[in-house]
Amino acid sequence: MILTVAHDIDAIRYLTTHDNAFIRYFEGHEGAVTNLTMHPGSDDFISCSKDNTVRLWNTGTRSATGILHLTSPYLSAFDPSGQVFAVGSSVTGQVLIYDHRNFDKVPVNTFDIVESCRSVNFDQLLTGWTKLEFSNDGRSILIGTKGSGHFLLDSFSGNLKAYLRKPEGRTSRLAPGEDAAMNGGWNGANVESSGDCCFTPDGRFVIGGAKKGVVVWDALAQPDEHKILSPAHTTDDERQAAVVAFNPRFNFFSTADQEVVFWLPDPHA
């Protein structure tokens, strides 16, 4: 099964892959949907939208099971247990942590990204966030940006663990919620990115796309005195990787831009 977004009607569609048929539409958003996040252990999922709402759903019913009214909530992520979820807003510079069972209460935690990360990258504190993800051990949160690096945070305190520096600089895709005019005329400016970075399943490494190939950071490595962490490895490839995703079942990851590329581990390494 696949969840897709129909931007022309601001609706979410539930697609079955074996016969390429739509099971149902999830309607209610009044603006473009910027993010979908599936619960790790159930049929629940979360959507974020430009209508300033976060909606909670279950695939068994077309109506939302809950609504949060927030300022520009463009990104979301469940923790590995599914007990809490995070909502990220680059406009406010915050990541809000909610108890999934008591989502209608105040957040259990609020992380001020401006305060935590202003010393390493001031440009991407309030714009250009492309990815929000928990590590599988639940100890870290990754905020991907289209700028010169990504933020790796402690998921309990919100403090910056490391700034993952991208040696090739910014990508050419829009961040969720951005308009083409905000992207400075880069190639691919009319196409939103679903995130050019992700954790490996063990949470040890972060894989990131670049203008040329793929870079890998060791999340357990010690950053420098300014909390800047350089890549531990860079692939020798000339193709841009604007989107990155890892397949935990088959132990490979894929990248995409003009081409979709599948990367397999080297058995002799």
Side-chain angles (χ1 to χ4, degrees), residues 159-247:
N159 293 330
L160 179 69
K161 285 186 171 182
Y163 178 68
L164 310 181
R165 183 183 64 84
K166 289 192 287 186
E168 295 291 340
R170 63 183 295 173
T171 63
S172 62
R173 299 289 182 174
L174 289 171
E178 287 188 334
D179 297 319
M182 300 172 63
N183 210 37
W186 291 74
N187 293 331
N190 293 317
V191 182
E192 290 185 0
S193 171
S194 59
D196 67 335
C197 60
C198 67
F199 283 107
T200 55
D202 60 1
R204 170 70 185 271
F205 300 97
V206 175
I207 300 173
K211 289 182 180 179
K212 294 182 180 180
V214 178
V215 292
V216 180
W217 295 273
D218 185 347
L220 297 183
Q222 185 67 31
D224 66 17
E225 65 272 18
H226 303 294
K227 292 193 175 182
I228 296 176
L229 185 64
S230 297
H233 180 73
T234 302
T235 62
D236 185 14
D237 191 82
E238 294 295 317
R239 291 165 295 194
Q240 177 171 257
V243 179
V244 176
F246 207 104
N247 186 316

Coordinates of all heavy atoms in Angstrom, one line a residue, residues 159-247:
N159 N 19.3 19.5 22.3 CA 20.6 20.1 22.2 C 21.3 19.6 20.9 O 21.1 18.4 20.5 CB 21.5 19.8 23.4 CG 21.0 20.5 24.6 OD1 20.4 21.6 24.6 ND2 21.3 19.9 25.8
L160 N 22.1 20.4 20.3 CA 22.9 20.0 19.1 C 24.0 19.0 19.4 O 24.8 19.3 20.2 CB 23.5 21.3 18.4 CG 24.3 21.0 17.1 CD1 23.4 20.6 16.0 CD2 25.1 22.3 16.8
K161 N 23.9 17.9 18.8 CA 25.0 16.9 18.9 C 26.1 17.2 17.9 O 27.3 17.2 18.2 CB 24.5 15.5 18.6 CG 23.7 14.9 19.7 CD 23.4 13.4 19.4 CE 22.7 12.7 20.6 NZ 22.5 11.3 20.2
A162 N 25.7 17.5 16.6 CA 26.7 17.8 15.6 C 26.0 18.5 14.4 O 24.8 18.3 14.2 CB 27.4 16.5 15.1
Y163 N 26.7 19.3 13.7 CA 26.3 19.9 12.5 C 27.0 19.1 11.4 O 28.2 19.1 11.3 CB 26.7 21.4 12.4 CG 26.3 22.0 11.1 CD1 24.9 22.2 10.7 CD2 27.3 22.5 10.2 CE1 24.6 22.8 9.6 CE2 26.9 23.1 9.0 CZ 25.6 23.3 8.7 OH 25.2 23.9 7.5
L164 N 26.2 18.4 10.5 CA 26.8 17.5 9.5 C 27.0 18.4 8.3 O 26.1 18.7 7.5 CB 25.8 16.4 9.2 CG 25.2 15.6 10.4 CD1 24.3 14.5 10.0 CD2 26.4 15.1 11.3
R165 N 28.3 18.7 8.1 CA 28.7 19.6 7.0 C 28.6 18.9 5.6 O 29.2 17.8 5.5 CB 30.1 20.1 7.2 CG 30.6 21.2 6.2 CD 32.0 21.6 6.5 NE 32.9 20.4 6.3 CZ 33.4 20.0 5.2 NH1 33.1 20.7 4.1 NH2 34.3 19.0 5.2
K166 N 28.0 19.5 4.7 CA 28.0 19.0 3.3 C 29.1 19.7 2.5 O 29.0 20.9 2.3 CB 26.6 19.3 2.6 CG 25.5 18.4 3.2 CD 24.2 18.5 2.3 CE 23.5 19.8 2.5 NZ 22.2 19.9 1.7
P167 N 30.0 19.0 2.0 CA 31.1 19.6 1.3 C 30.8 20.2 0.0 O 31.4 21.2 -0.5 CB 32.1 18.4 1.1 CG 31.3 17.2 1.2 CD 30.2 17.5 2.1
E168 N 29.7 19.8 -0.6 CA 29.3 20.3 -1.9 C 28.2 21.4 -1.8 O 27.7 21.9 -2.8 CB 28.8 19.2 -2.9 CG 29.8 18.1 -3.2 CD 30.9 18.7 -4.1 OE1 30.6 19.7 -4.8 OE2 32.0 18.1 -4.2
G169 N 27.8 21.7 -0.6 CA 26.8 22.8 -0.5 C 25.4 22.4 -0.7 O 25.1 21.2 -0.7
R170 N 24.6 23.4 -1.0 CA 23.1 23.2 -1.1 C 22.7 22.4 -2.2 O 23.4 22.2 -3.3 CB 22.4 24.6 -1.1 CG 22.7 25.4 -2.3 CD 22.1 26.7 -2.3 NE 20.6 26.6 -2.3 CZ 19.8 27.7 -2.1 NH1 20.3 28.9 -1.8 NH2 18.5 27.5 -2.1
T171 N 21.5 21.8 -2.1 CA 20.9 21.0 -3.2 C 20.0 21.9 -4.0 O 19.8 23.1 -3.7 CB 20.0 19.9 -2.6 OG1 18.9 20.4 -1.8 CG2 20.8 18.9 -1.7
S172 N 19.5 21.4 -5.1 CA 18.7 22.2 -6.1 C 17.2 22.0 -6.0 O 16.5 22.3 -6.9 CB 19.2 21.9 -7.5 OG 19.0 20.6 -7.8
R173 N 16.8 21.4 -4.9 CA 15.3 21.2 -4.7 C 14.7 22.1 -3.7 O 15.4 22.6 -2.8 CB 15.1 19.7 -4.3 CG 15.6 18.7 -5.2 CD 14.8 18.6 -6.5 NE 15.3 17.6 -7.4 CZ 14.7 17.3 -8.5 NH1 13.6 17.9 -8.9 NH2 15.2 16.3 -9.3
L174 N 13.4 22.3 -3.8 CA 12.6 23.1 -2.8 C 12.5 22.3 -1.5 O 12.3 21.1 -1.5 CB 11.3 23.4 -3.4 CG 11.1 24.4 -4.5 CD1 9.7 24.4 -5.0 CD2 11.5 25.8 -4.0
A175 N 12.4 23.0 -0.4 CA 12.0 22.4 0.8 C 10.5 22.4 0.9 O 9.8 23.2 0.3 CB 12.6 23.2 2.0
P176 N 9.9 21.5 1.7 CA 8.5 21.5 1.8 C 7.9 22.8 2.3 O 8.4 23.4 3.2 CB 8.2 20.4 2.9 CG 9.4 19.5 2.8 CD 10.5 20.4 2.4
G177 N 6.9 23.3 1.6 CA 6.2 24.5 1.9 C 6.8 25.7 1.2 O 6.2 26.8 1.3
E178 N 7.9 25.5 0.5 CA 8.5 26.7 -0.2 C 7.9 26.8 -1.6 O 7.4 25.9 -2.2 CB 10.0 26.5 -0.4 CG 10.8 26.6 0.9 CD 12.3 26.6 0.6 OE1 12.7 26.0 -0.3 OE2 13.0 27.2 1.4
D179 N 8.0 28.1 -2.1 CA 7.6 28.4 -3.5 C 8.8 28.4 -4.4 O 10.0 28.6 -3.9 CB 6.9 29.7 -3.6 CG 5.6 29.7 -2.8 OD1 4.9 28.7 -2.8 OD2 5.3 30.7 -2.1
A180 N 8.7 28.2 -5.7 CA 9.8 28.2 -6.6 C 10.6 29.5 -6.5 O 11.8 29.5 -6.6 CB 9.3 28.0 -8.0
A181 N 10.0 30.6 -6.3 CA 10.7 31.9 -6.2 C 11.7 32.0 -5.1 O 12.6 32.8 -5.1 CB 9.7 33.1 -6.2
M182 N 11.4 31.2 -4.0 CA 12.3 31.2 -2.9 C 13.6 30.4 -3.0 O 14.5 30.5 -2.2 CB 11.5 30.6 -1.6 CG 10.3 31.3 -1.3 SD 9.3 30.5 0.0 CE 10.4 30.5 1.4
N183 N 13.7 29.7 -4.1 CA 14.8 28.8 -4.3 C 16.0 29.4 -5.1 O 16.9 28.7 -5.4 CB 14.4 27.5 -5.0 CG 15.2 26.3 -4.6 OD1 15.6 26.2 -3.4 ND2 15.5 25.4 -5.5
G184 N 15.9 30.7 -5.4 CA 17.0 31.3 -6.1 C 17.3 30.9 -7.5 O 18.4 31.2 -8.0
G185 N 16.3 30.3 -8.2 CA 16.5 30.0 -9.6 C 17.4 28.8 -9.8 O 17.9 28.6 -10.9
W186 N 17.5 27.9 -8.8 CA 18.3 26.7 -9.1 C 17.6 25.7 -10.0 O 16.4 25.7 -10.1 CB 18.6 26.0 -7.7 CG 19.5 26.8 -6.9 CD1 19.2 27.9 -6.2 CD2 20.9 26.5 -6.6 NE1 20.3 28.4 -5.5 CE2 21.4 27.5 -5.7 CE3 21.8 25.5 -7.0 CZ2 22.7 27.6 -5.3 CZ3 23.1 25.6 -6.5 CH2 23.5 26.6 -5.7
N187 N 18.3 24.8 -10.6 CA 17.7 23.8 -11.5 C 16.8 22.9 -10.6 O 17.2 22.6 -9.5 CB 18.8 23.0 -12.1 CG 19.6 23.7 -13.2 OD1 19.0 24.7 -13.8 ND2 20.8 23.4 -13.4
G188 N 15.7 22.6 -11.1 CA 14.8 21.7 -10.3 C 14.0 22.5 -9.3 O 13.4 21.9 -8.4
A189 N 13.9 23.8 -9.5 CA 13.3 24.7 -8.4 C 11.8 24.4 -8.3 O 11.2 24.8 -7.3 CB 13.5 26.2 -8.8
N190 N 11.2 23.8 -9.3 CA 9.7 23.6 -9.2 C 9.4 22.3 -8.5 O 8.2 21.9 -8.5 CB 9.1 23.7 -10.6 CG 9.1 25.1 -11.1 OD1 8.9 26.1 -10.4 ND2 9.5 25.2 -12.4
V191 N 10.4 21.5 -8.1 CA 10.2 20.2 -7.6 C 10.6 20.2 -6.1 O 11.7 20.5 -5.7 CB 11.0 19.1 -8.3 CG1 10.8 17.7 -7.8 CG2 10.7 19.2 -9.8
E192 N 9.7 19.7 -5.2 CA 10.0 19.7 -3.8 C 10.8 18.4 -3.5 O 10.6 17.4 -4.2 CB 8.7 19.6 -3.0 CG 8.0 21.0 -3.0 CD 6.8 20.9 -2.0 OE1 6.6 19.9 -1.4 OE2 6.1 22.0 -2.0
S193 N 11.7 18.5 -2.5 CA 12.4 17.3 -2.1 C 11.8 16.6 -0.9 O 11.2 17.3 -0.1 CB 13.8 17.8 -1.7 OG 14.5 16.7 -1.1
S194 N 11.9 15.3 -0.9 CA 11.4 14.6 0.3 C 12.5 14.3 1.3 O 12.4 13.5 2.2 CB 10.8 13.3 -0.1 OG 11.7 12.5 -0.8
G195 N 13.7 15.0 1.1 CA 14.8 14.9 2.0 C 16.0 14.2 1.4 O 15.9 13.1 1.0
D196 N 17.1 14.9 1.5 CA 18.3 14.4 0.9 C 19.2 13.8 2.0 O 20.5 13.8 1.8 CB 19.1 15.4 0.1 CG 19.6 16.6 0.9 OD1 19.1 16.8 2.0 OD2 20.6 17.2 0.5
C197 N 18.7 13.3 3.1 CA 19.5 12.6 4.1 C 18.6 11.7 4.9 O 17.4 11.8 4.9 CB 20.1 13.7 5.0 SG 18.9 14.7 5.9
C198 N 19.2 10.7 5.5 CA 18.5 9.7 6.3 C 19.4 9.0 7.2 O 20.6 8.9 6.9 CB 17.6 8.8 5.5 SG 18.6 7.6 4.5
F199 N 18.9 8.4 8.3 CA 19.7 7.5 9.1 C 19.8 6.1 8.5 O 18.9 5.7 7.7 CB 19.0 7.3 10.5 CG 19.2 8.4 11.4 CD1 18.1 9.3 11.7 CD2 20.4 8.7 12.1 CE1 18.3 10.3 12.6 CE2 20.6 9.7 13.0 CZ 19.5 10.6 13.2
T200 N 20.9 5.4 8.8 CA 21.0 4.0 8.5 C 20.1 3.3 9.6 O 19.8 3.9 10.6 CB 22.4 3.5 8.5 OG1 23.0 3.8 9.8 CG2 23.2 4.1 7.4
P201 N 19.7 2.1 9.3 CA 18.8 1.4 10.3 C 19.3 1.3 11.7 O 18.6 1.3 12.7 CB 18.5 0.0 9.6 CG 18.7 0.2 8.2 CD 19.8 1.3 8.1
D202 N 20.7 1.1 11.8 CA 21.2 1.0 13.2 C 21.4 2.4 13.8 O 21.8 2.4 15.0 CB 22.6 0.3 13.1 CG 23.6 1.0 12.2 OD1 23.3 2.0 11.7 OD2 24.7 0.4 12.1
G203 N 21.2 3.5 13.1 CA 21.3 4.8 13.7 C 22.8 5.3 13.8 O 23.0 6.4 14.3
R204 N 23.7 4.4 13.3 CA 25.1 4.8 13.5 C 25.6 5.8 12.5 O 26.4 6.7 12.8 CB 26.0 3.5 13.3 CG 27.5 3.7 13.2 CD 28.1 4.2 14.4 NE 29.5 4.5 14.3 CZ 30.5 3.6 14.4 NH1 30.2 2.4 14.7 NH2 31.8 4.0 14.3
F205 N 25.0 5.8 11.3 CA 25.4 6.7 10.2 C 24.3 7.5 9.6 O 23.1 7.1 9.7 CB 26.1 5.9 9.0 CG 27.3 5.1 9.4 CD1 27.2 3.7 9.8 CD2 28.5 5.7 9.5 CE1 28.3 3.0 10.1 CE2 29.7 5.0 9.9 CZ 29.5 3.6 10.2
V206 N 24.6 8.6 9.1 CA 23.7 9.4 8.3 C 24.2 9.5 6.9 O 25.3 9.8 6.6 CB 23.5 10.9 8.9 CG1 22.6 11.7 8.0 CG2 23.0 10.8 10.3
I207 N 23.3 9.2 5.9 CA 23.6 9.2 4.5 C 23.0 10.5 3.9 O 21.8 10.8 4.2 CB 23.0 8.0 3.8 CG1 23.7 6.7 4.4 CG2 23.3 8.0 2.3 CD1 23.1 5.4 3.8
G208 N 23.8 11.2 3.2 CA 23.3 12.5 2.6 C 23.6 12.6 1.2 O 24.6 12.1 0.7
G209 N 22.7 13.2 0.4 CA 22.9 13.5 -1.0 C 23.8 14.8 -1.1 O 23.9 15.6 -0.2
A210 N 24.4 14.9 -2.3 CA 25.2 16.0 -2.6 C 25.1 16.3 -4.1 O 24.5 15.6 -4.8 CB 26.7 15.8 -2.2
K211 N 25.7 17.4 -4.5 CA 25.7 17.7 -6.0 C 26.5 16.7 -6.8 O 26.2 16.5 -7.9 CB 26.3 19.1 -6.2 CG 25.4 20.2 -5.7 CD 26.1 21.6 -6.1 CE 25.2 22.7 -5.6 NZ 25.8 24.0 -5.9
K212 N 27.4 16.0 -6.1 CA 28.1 14.9 -6.7 C 28.2 13.8 -5.8 O 29.0 13.7 -4.8 CB 29.6 15.4 -7.1 CG 29.6 16.5 -8.2 CD 31.0 16.8 -8.5 CE 31.1 17.9 -9.6 NZ 32.5 18.3 -9.9
G213 N 27.3 12.8 -6.0 CA 27.4 11.5 -5.3 C 26.7 11.6 -3.9 O 25.8 12.4 -3.6
V214 N 27.2 10.8 -3.0 CA 26.7 10.6 -1.7 C 27.8 10.7 -0.6 O 28.9 10.3 -0.8 CB 26.0 9.2 -1.5 CG1 25.5 9.0 -0.1 CG2 24.9 9.0 -2.6
V215 N 27.4 11.4 0.5 CA 28.3 11.5 1.6 C 27.7 10.8 2.8 O 26.5 10.6 3.0 CB 28.6 13.0 2.0 CG1 29.3 13.7 0.9 CG2 27.3 13.7 2.3
V216 N 28.6 10.3 3.7 CA 28.3 9.5 4.9 C 28.9 10.1 6.1 O 30.1 10.3 6.1 CB 28.7 8.0 4.7 CG1 28.2 7.2 5.9 CG2 28.1 7.4 3.4
W217 N 28.1 10.3 7.1 CA 28.6 10.8 8.4 C 28.5 9.7 9.5 O 27.5 9.0 9.5 CB 27.9 12.0 8.9 CG 28.0 13.2 8.0 CD1 29.0 14.2 8.1 CD2 27.1 13.6 7.0 NE1 28.7 15.2 7.1 CE2 27.6 14.9 6.5 CE3 25.9 13.1 6.5 CZ2 26.9 15.5 5.4 CZ3 25.3 13.8 5.4 CH2 25.8 15.0 4.9
D218 N 29.5 9.6 10.3 CA 29.5 8.7 11.4 C 28.9 9.5 12.6 O 29.5 10.3 13.2 CB 30.9 8.2 11.8 CG 30.9 7.1 12.9 OD1 29.9 7.0 13.5 OD2 31.9 6.5 13.1
A219 N 27.6 9.1 13.0 CA 27.0 9.9 14.0 C 27.6 9.7 15.4 O 27.3 10.5 16.3 CB 25.5 9.5 14.1
L220 N 28.4 8.7 15.6 CA 29.1 8.5 16.8 C 30.5 9.1 16.9 O 31.2 9.1 17.9 CB 29.2 7.0 17.1 CG 27.9 6.2 17.3 CD1 28.2 4.7 17.6 CD2 27.0 6.8 18.3
A221 N 30.9 9.7 15.8 CA 32.3 10.3 15.8 C 32.2 11.6 16.5 O 31.2 12.2 16.7 CB 32.7 10.5 14.3
Q222 N 33.4 12.0 17.0 CA 33.5 13.3 17.8 C 33.6 14.5 16.8 O 34.5 14.5 16.0 CB 34.7 13.2 18.7 CG 34.9 14.4 19.6 CD 33.8 14.4 20.7 OE1 33.3 13.4 21.1 NE2 33.4 15.6 21.1
P223 N 32.6 15.4 16.9 CA 32.8 16.6 16.1 C 33.9 17.5 16.6 O 34.5 17.3 17.6 CB 31.4 17.3 16.2 CG 30.9 16.8 17.5 CD 31.4 15.4 17.7
D224 N 34.2 18.5 15.8 CA 35.3 19.4 16.2 C 34.8 20.4 17.4 O 33.7 20.2 17.8 CB 35.8 20.2 15.0 CG 34.8 21.2 14.4 OD1 33.8 21.5 15.1 OD2 35.1 21.7 13.3
E225 N 35.6 21.3 17.8 CA 35.3 22.1 18.9 C 34.1 23.0 18.6 O 33.4 23.5 19.6 CB 36.5 23.0 19.3 CG 36.9 24.0 18.3 CD 37.9 23.5 17.3 OE1 38.0 22.2 17.2 OE2 38.6 24.3 16.6
H226 N 33.7 23.2 17.3 CA 32.5 24.0 17.0 C 31.3 23.1 16.7 O 30.3 23.6 16.2 CB 32.8 24.8 15.8 CG 34.0 25.7 15.9 ND1 34.0 26.8 16.8 CD2 35.2 25.7 15.3 CE1 35.2 27.4 16.8 NE2 35.9 26.8 15.9
K227 N 31.4 21.8 17.0 CA 30.4 20.8 16.8 C 30.1 20.6 15.3 O 29.0 20.2 15.0 CB 29.1 21.2 17.5 CG 29.2 21.1 19.1 CD 27.8 21.2 19.7 CE 28.0 21.0 21.2 NZ 26.7 21.0 21.9
I228 N 31.1 20.8 14.5 CA 30.9 20.5 13.1 C 31.5 19.2 12.8 O 32.7 18.9 13.2 CB 31.6 21.6 12.2 CG1 30.9 23.0 12.5 CG2 31.6 21.3 10.7 CD1 31.5 24.1 11.8
L229 N 30.8 18.3 12.1 CA 31.2 17.0 11.7 C 31.3 16.8 10.2 O 30.3 17.0 9.5 CB 30.2 15.9 12.3 CG 30.6 14.5 12.1 CD1 31.9 14.2 12.9 CD2 29.5 13.6 12.6
S230 N 32.5 16.5 9.7 CA 32.7 16.3 8.3 C 32.4 14.9 7.9 O 32.4 14.0 8.8 CB 34.2 16.6 7.9 OG 34.5 18.0 8.2
P231 N 32.1 14.6 6.7 CA 31.8 13.2 6.2 C 32.9 12.3 6.5 O 34.1 12.6 6.3 CB 31.5 13.4 4.7 CG 31.1 14.8 4.5 CD 32.0 15.6 5.6
A232 N 32.6 11.1 6.8 CA 33.5 10.0 7.0 C 33.9 9.3 5.7 O 34.9 8.7 5.5 CB 33.0 8.9 8.0
H233 N 32.9 9.5 4.7 CA 33.2 8.8 3.4 C 32.4 9.6 2.4 O 31.3 10.1 2.6 CB 32.7 7.4 3.4 CG 32.9 6.7 2.1 ND1 34.1 6.3 1.6 CD2 32.0 6.3 1.2 CE1 33.9 5.7 0.4 NE2 32.6 5.7 0.1
T234 N 32.9 9.7 1.2 CA 32.2 10.3 0.0 C 32.4 9.4 -1.2 O 33.5 8.9 -1.5 CB 32.9 11.7 -0.3 OG1 32.8 12.5 0.8 CG2 32.2 12.3 -1.5
T235 N 31.2 9.1 -1.8 CA 31.3 8.2 -3.0 C 31.9 9.0 -4.2 O 31.8 10.2 -4.3 CB 29.9 7.7 -3.4 OG1 29.1 8.8 -3.7 CG2 29.3 7.0 -2.2
D236 N 32.5 8.2 -5.1 CA 33.1 8.7 -6.3 C 32.0 8.7 -7.4 O 31.9 7.7 -8.2 CB 34.3 8.0 -6.7 CG 35.0 8.6 -7.9 OD1 34.7 9.7 -8.3 OD2 35.9 7.9 -8.5
D237 N 31.2 9.7 -7.5 CA 30.1 9.7 -8.4 C 29.8 11.1 -8.8 O 29.8 12.0 -8.0 CB 28.8 9.0 -7.8 CG 27.7 8.8 -8.8 OD1 27.8 7.7 -9.6 OD2 26.8 9.6 -8.9
E238 N 29.5 11.4 -10.1 CA 29.2 12.7 -10.6 C 27.8 13.1 -10.6 O 27.4 14.3 -10.8 CB 29.8 12.8 -12.0 CG 31.3 12.7 -12.1 CD 32.0 13.9 -11.4 OE1 31.6 15.0 -11.5 OE2 33.0 13.6 -10.7
R239 N 26.9 12.2 -10.3 CA 25.4 12.5 -10.3 C 25.0 13.1 -9.0 O 25.4 12.7 -7.9 CB 24.6 11.2 -10.6 CG 24.8 10.7 -12.0 CD 24.3 9.2 -12.1 NE 25.1 8.3 -11.3 CZ 25.1 7.0 -11.4 NH1 24.3 6.4 -12.3 NH2 25.8 6.2 -10.6
Q240 N 24.1 14.1 -9.2 CA 23.5 14.7 -8.0 C 22.5 13.8 -7.3 O 21.8 13.0 -8.0 CB 22.8 16.0 -8.3 CG 22.1 16.7 -7.1 CD 21.5 18.1 -7.4 OE1 22.1 19.0 -7.1 NE2 20.4 18.1 -8.1
A241 N 22.5 13.8 -6.0 CA 21.5 13.0 -5.2 C 20.7 13.9 -4.4 O 21.0 14.4 -3.3 CB 22.3 12.0 -4.3
A242 N 19.5 14.2 -4.9 CA 18.6 15.2 -4.3 C 17.7 14.5 -3.3 O 17.1 15.2 -2.4 CB 17.8 16.0 -5.3
V243 N 17.5 13.2 -3.4 CA 16.6 12.4 -2.5 C 17.3 11.2 -2.1 O 18.0 10.5 -3.0 CB 15.3 12.1 -3.2 CG1 14.4 11.3 -2.3 CG2 14.5 13.3 -3.7
V244 N 17.3 10.8 -0.8 CA 18.0 9.7 -0.3 C 17.0 8.9 0.6 O 16.3 9.4 1.4 CB 19.2 10.0 0.5 CG1 19.9 8.8 1.1 CG2 20.2 10.8 -0.4
A245 N 17.0 7.5 0.4 CA 16.1 6.7 1.2 C 16.8 5.3 1.4 O 17.5 4.8 0.5 CB 14.8 6.5 0.6
F246 N 16.7 4.8 2.6 CA 17.3 3.5 3.0 C 16.2 2.4 3.1 O 15.2 2.6 3.6 CB 18.1 3.6 4.3 CG 19.2 2.6 4.4 CD1 20.5 3.1 4.3 CD2 19.0 1.3 4.7 CE1 21.6 2.2 4.4 CE2 20.0 0.4 4.8 CZ 21.3 0.8 4.6
N247 N 16.5 1.2 2.5 CA 15.7 0.1 2.6 C 16.2 -0.8 3.7 O 17.2 -1.5 3.5 CB 15.6 -0.7 1.3 CG 14.6 -1.8 1.3 OD1 14.5 -2.6 2.3 ND2 13.8 -1.9 0.3

